[in-house]
C-alpha cells in the first residue's frame, strides 16, 4: 500500500510541476524503477551484439495514412556518419503497429536496403507483442482531446516505454529520434564533444533539437526509470510533456539545448491521422560539425557578475552568456583547463543582438602555462598575447603553430576601462586532434 500511496502522490505532483523538487527523492527511491520491464520482444531483423556501444538511437514507427519516412530516416543516420562513427552506434527500430502484414513488408524492405548494417549489428528491428500493452480503451479524456487522439498519444507513450526498456543495456548513451528525421553530418562527433565538455556536471536530458521527441539524449542508466515512468502515466498526457516532468523530477530544472540543432523534422504528414505537420527547426544546420571542443575547465573572473549570468555561461555550448558590470583596465576572465591541452583555434564573441554596445571595447586574448594556486583559485604565472579584440570579437587560427607549450589557461584581459556593461556571448575552443593510430 505504501508504494501505491507514493505513486498516487507522484501523480498529483505532475499536475503541479513547480513543486516537483520536493518529490525528487520519492521518485528516485521507488525501488522497482531500477529493473527492466518483463517483455518478450520479437526480433524482426538483427540481434544485439555483446559489446556495449557508445550510443543507441531509438525510433518507434507506426503505419501512417500518408507518407512513410522511416527508410529515409535510417538512411540519413547511416549516410551522415563516418566509418569510425558507425562503429559506435546501434539503431533500434520499434515497429509498433499491430498490423503484422504491414510490419512484415516493411521489415523486408529494411532488410533489403540495409542488410550490411544489420549483419554488422548496427541495426535492429523489434516489436513488443500486443498482449503486453495495457488497455487502450476507455482512457481518461484529459485536456478534452477526442477519444482517438487520447488513444493515439497513450499508445505512443507505451511504444516508447517498450523501446527504452529494450535499449537499456546496449550502450552508454541513448538518443531519442522520431521516424521522420534528417541528421546533420557527423552528428555523433558533435554529440561526443558536448558530452565531453559537460563531464562532471549533472544532467538528465540534453536536447539537440527543439522539436518533439527529436534529438533528446539520456544516460542509458536512466532508461529503466523513464520506461516505468511513461508506462505509469501513459494515459495522462503526451510523451513530450512527460519527458519534461521526468527531467524536473530528477532535479534538472532547466532545458539544456544546443545550437546548432543536429536533427531536423522532415515529415510533412503526422503519424496521427496523416494530419499536416510542417514543423521545422530553424536552428538546424546540415554541416554543423564545427562544434567547439571546449575541454573541461574552471572559470574565474574579477568582473562584477550581474545576477546569475555567471562565467560558466560564456563557455557553454548552450545558448546562454556571461553578463558583467562595466569592467576596468586590468580586469580579467580566465579559463583554467583541468589538464593542459593543445589548442588549434580560439573564437570569442561579445555583445548580443539586442545589446550590441555591451561588447569588450578594448581587450587582449592571452594563453598561459605554469599553473599556480592563489587565494582566488588557480591561475597561470606566464602568459603570451595572441591578439587584440576588434569590434568586440577575436578569432585566432593555428594557435598550436604559434605557441610551443601545451596551454593551461586562456585569458581575456580588459586593456581600457569602459562605461558599458560586458556580455561575453561565446568562448569557442577547438583542440588539436591527435593523429589516428
Amino acid at each position: 500500500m505504501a508504494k501505491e500511496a507514493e505513486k498516487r502522490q507522484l501523480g498529483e505532483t505532475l499536475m503541479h510541476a513547480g513543486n516537483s523538487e520536493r518529490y525528487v527523492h520519492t521518485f528516485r527511491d521507488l525501488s522497482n524503477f531500477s529493473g527492466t520491464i518483463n517483455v518478450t520482444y520479437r526480433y524482426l531483423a538483427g540481434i544485439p551484439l555483446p559489446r556495449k556501444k557508445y550510443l543507441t538511437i531509438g525510433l518507434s514507427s507506426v503505419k501512417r495514412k500518408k507518407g512513410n519516412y522511416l527508410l529515409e530516416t535510417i538512411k540519413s543516420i547511416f549516410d551522415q556518419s563516418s566509418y569510425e562513427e558507425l562503429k559506435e552506434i546501434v539503431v533500434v527500430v520499434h515497429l509498433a503497429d499491430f498490423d503484422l502484414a504491414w510490419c512484415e513488408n516493411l521489415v523486408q524492405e529494411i532488410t533489403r536496403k540495409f542488410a550490411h548494417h544489420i549483419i554488422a549489428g548496427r541495426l535492429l528491428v523489434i516489436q513488443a507483442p500486443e498482449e503486453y500493452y495495457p488497455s487502450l480503451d476507455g482512457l481518461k479524456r484529459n485536456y478534452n482531446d477526442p477519444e482517438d487522439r487520447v488513444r493515439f498519444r497513450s499508445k505512443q507513450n507505451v511504444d516508447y516505454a517498450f523501446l527504452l526498456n529494450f535499449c537499456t543495456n546496449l550502450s552508454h548513451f541513448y538518443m531519442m529520434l522520431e521516424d521522420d528525421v534528417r541528421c546533420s553530418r557527423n552528428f555523433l562527433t558533435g554529440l561526443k564533444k558536448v558530452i565531453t565538455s559537460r563531464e562532471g556536471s549533472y544532467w538528465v536530458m540534453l536536447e539537440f533539437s527543439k522539436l518533439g521527441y527529436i534529438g533528446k539524449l539520456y544516460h542509458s542508466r536512466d532508461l529503466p526509470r523513464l520506461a516505468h515512468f511513461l508506462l505509469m502515466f501513459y494515459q495522462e498526457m503526451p510523451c513530450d510533456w512527460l519527458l519534461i516532468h521526468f527531467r524536473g523530477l530528477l532535479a534538472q530544472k532547466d532545458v539544456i539545448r544546443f545550437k546548432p540543432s543536429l536533427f531536423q523534422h522532415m515529415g510533412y504528414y503526422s503519424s496521427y491521422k496523416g494530419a499536416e505537420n510542417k514543423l521545422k527547426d530553424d536552428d538546424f544546420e546540415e554541416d554543423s560539425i564545427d562544434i567547439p571542443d571546449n575541454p573541461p575547465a574552471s572559470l574565474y573572473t574579477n568582473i562584477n557578475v550581474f545576477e546569475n549570468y555567471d562565467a560558466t555561461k560564456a563557455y557553454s555550448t548552450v545558448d546562454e552568456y556571461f553578463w558583467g558590470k562595466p569592467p576596468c583596465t586590468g580586469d580579467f576572465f580566465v579559463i583554467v583547463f583541468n589538464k593542459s591541452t593543445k589548442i588549434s583555434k580560439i573564437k570569442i564573441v561579445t555583445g548580443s543582438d539586442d545589446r550590441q554596445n555591451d561588447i569588450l571595447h578594448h581587450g587582449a586574448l592571452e594563453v598561459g602555462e605554469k599553473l599556480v594556486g592563489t587565494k582566488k583559485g588557480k591561475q597561470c604565472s606566464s602568459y603570451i598575447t595572441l591578439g587584440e579584440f576588434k569590434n568586440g570579437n577575436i578569432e585566432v587560427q593555428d594557435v598550436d603553430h604559434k605557441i610551443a607549450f601545451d596551454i593551461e589557461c586562456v585569458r581575456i584581459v580588459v586593456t581600457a576601462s569602459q562605461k558599458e556593461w560586458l556580455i561575453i556571448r561565446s568562448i569557442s575552443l577547438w583542440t588539436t586532434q591527435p593523429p589516428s593510430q
Side-chain angles (χ1 to χ4, degrees):
M1 282 308 285
K3 281 268 164 38
E4 289 308 312
E6 279 183 317
K7 289 178 185 179
R8 195 162 56 250
Q9 186 185 39
L10 183 56
E12 287 160 10
T13 314
L14 284 179
M15 299 303 125
H16 312 283
N19 302 328
S20 67
E21 282 173 75
R22 277 191 296 147
Y23 295 93
V24 168
H25 297 297
T26 309
F27 181 53
R28 203 177 265 161
D29 297 340
L30 277 174
S31 56
N32 65 339
F33 272 52
S34 55
T36 50
I37 299 156
N38 191 13
V39 177
T40 304
Y41 294 87
R42 292 195 188 104
Y43 286 77
L44 304 180
I47 51 164
L49 294 176
R51 187 179 74 80
K52 262 194 180 185
K53 298 287 185 87
Y54 185 82
L55 180 73
T56 301
I57 299 165
L59 319 167
S60 183
S61 194
V62 294
K63 185 165 65 173
R64 294 169 180 255
K65 281 202 162 62
K66 295 179 182 172
N68 192 305
Y69 311 96
L70 175 64
L71 293 164
E72 287 172 69
T73 301
I74 298 171
K75 184 176 187 310
S76 179
I77 292 169
F78 292 138
D79 284 359
Q80 297 290 57
S81 301
S82 68
Y83 178 68
E84 289 304 313
E85 289 169 327
L86 286 174
K87 291 179 187 169
E88 302 194 65
I89 61 176
V90 56
V91 178
V92 178
V93 178
H94 178 206
L95 294 186
D97 206 284
F98 300 145
D99 179 339
L100 298 184
W102 173 82
C103 291
E104 212 168 291
N105 288 336
L106 191 51
V107 170
Q108 282 177 2
E109 222 173 322
I110 291 170
T111 308
R112 195 171 66 247
K113 281 202 162 97
F114 304 107
H116 64 296
H117 292 299
I118 292 169
I119 292 162
R122 275 193 292 272
L123 176 61
L124 306 173
V125 185
I126 60 160
Q127 187 177 49
E130 189 175 0
E131 59 265 26
Y132 287 99
Y133 277 71
S135 172
L136 296 169
D137 297 316
L139 299 170
K140 289 166 73 174
R141 295 271 300 279
N142 296 343
Y143 319 109
N144 233 5
D145 276 350
E147 215 165 301
D148 61 342
R149 173 78 204 171
V150 173
R151 181 188 170 91
F152 173 84
R153 65 169 168 75
S154 299
K155 178 182 175 293
Q156 192 172 46
N157 284 333
V158 182
D159 297 342
Y160 277 119
F162 288 157
L163 171 62
L164 294 165
N165 183 61
F166 178 86
C167 294
T168 295
N169 293 312
L170 298 181
S171 62
H172 301 290
F173 298 97
Y174 174 84
M175 168 68 68
M176 195 180 245
L177 284 189
E178 291 184 22
D179 63 350
D180 52 359
V181 169
R182 202 166 86 241
C183 307
S184 73
R185 188 158 293 116
N186 303 111
F187 63 87
L188 179 68
T189 299
L191 285 180
K192 288 182 87 169
K193 284 185 176 191
V194 166
I195 291 168
T196 303
S197 75
R198 296 193 78 85
E199 264 171 23
S201 72
Y202 179 76
W203 59 271
V204 177
M205 177 168 80
L206 302 182
E207 304 188 24
F208 294 87
S209 166
K210 60 184 176 189
L211 303 176
Y213 334 121
I214 296 173
K216 305 298 182 269
L217 183 80
Y218 296 89
H219 295 279
S220 294
R221 62 172 180 263
D222 285 333
L223 296 185
R225 273 188 297 196
L226 182 51
H228 279 285
F229 184 71
L230 292 178
L231 267 190
M232 190 189 266
F233 298 106
Y234 79 102
Q235 59 175 309
E236 301 298 335
M237 60 185 76
C239 182
D240 47 347
W241 296 6
L242 285 173
L243 297 182
I244 294 164
H245 286 302
F246 180 79
R247 185 196 80 214
L249 285 162
L250 289 186
Q252 181 192 316
K253 282 187 284 195
D254 302 318
V255 171
I256 306 176
R257 185 166 77 77
F258 297 89
K259 286 184 180 180
S261 296
L262 299 180
F263 305 97
Q264 176 64 288
H265 183 255
M266 70 174 160
Y268 185 74
Y269 298 106
S270 143
S271 47
Y272 170 63
K273 282 191 158 179
E276 282 191 10
N277 180 357
K278 298 180 186 173
L279 279 177
K280 289 286 175 257
D281 187 334
D282 48 14
D283 293 326
F284 174 73
E285 288 178 18
E286 187 97 38
D287 285 304
S288 60
I289 187 51
D290 207 25
I291 293 172
D293 298 300
N294 286 16
S298 304
L299 286 91
Y300 307 98
T301 184
N302 63 346
I303 299 166
N304 199 339
V305 179
F306 175 62
E307 291 186 349
N308 63 342
Y309 292 88
D310 58 71
T312 56
K313 298 200 166 162
Y315 194 59
S316 159
T317 35
V318 183
D319 194 24
E320 45 188 22
Y321 52 81
F322 164 81
W323 200 3
K325 296 185 180 176
C328 303
T329 308
D331 280 355
F332 64 83
F333 186 108
V334 65
I335 301 155
V336 180
F337 298 129
N338 292 3
K339 55 181 182 207
S340 58
T341 186
K342 286 195 188 311
I343 300 284
S344 58
K345 183 169 89 168
I346 300 175
K347 182 181 176 184
I348 298 172
V349 179
T350 70
S352 69
D353 294 341
D354 52 345
R355 301 192 74 90
Q356 294 182 9
N357 224 17
D358 285 7
I359 62 171
L360 181 57
H361 291 272
H362 302 281
L365 174 65
E366 304 176 334
V367 290
E369 61 173 341
K370 301 193 175 82
L371 212 53
V372 291
T374 69
K375 282 181 187 170
K376 291 182 178 170
K378 289 180 179 172
Q379 180 60 282
C380 283
S381 56
S382 163
Y383 281 97
I384 290 176
T385 303
L386 281 180
E388 304 284 325
F389 279 75
K390 289 188 178 62
N391 302 319
N393 302 328
I394 189 167
E395 181 172 331
V396 184
Q397 309 265 5
D398 302 318
V399 178
D400 49 328
H401 296 161
K402 296 169 182 165
I403 301 296
F405 55 82
D406 284 1
I407 295 167
E408 294 182 86
C409 307
V410 172
R411 185 166 73 172
I412 299 165
V413 178
V414 179
T415 52
S417 301
Q418 61 186 60
K419 50 184 193 306
E420 296 83 6
W421 290 36
L422 172 62
I423 286 174
I424 302 180
R425 191 160 83 215
S426 62
I427 297 171
S428 304
L429 307 175
W430 286 265
T431 55
T432 306
Q433 295 302 320
S436 318
Q437 297 305 308

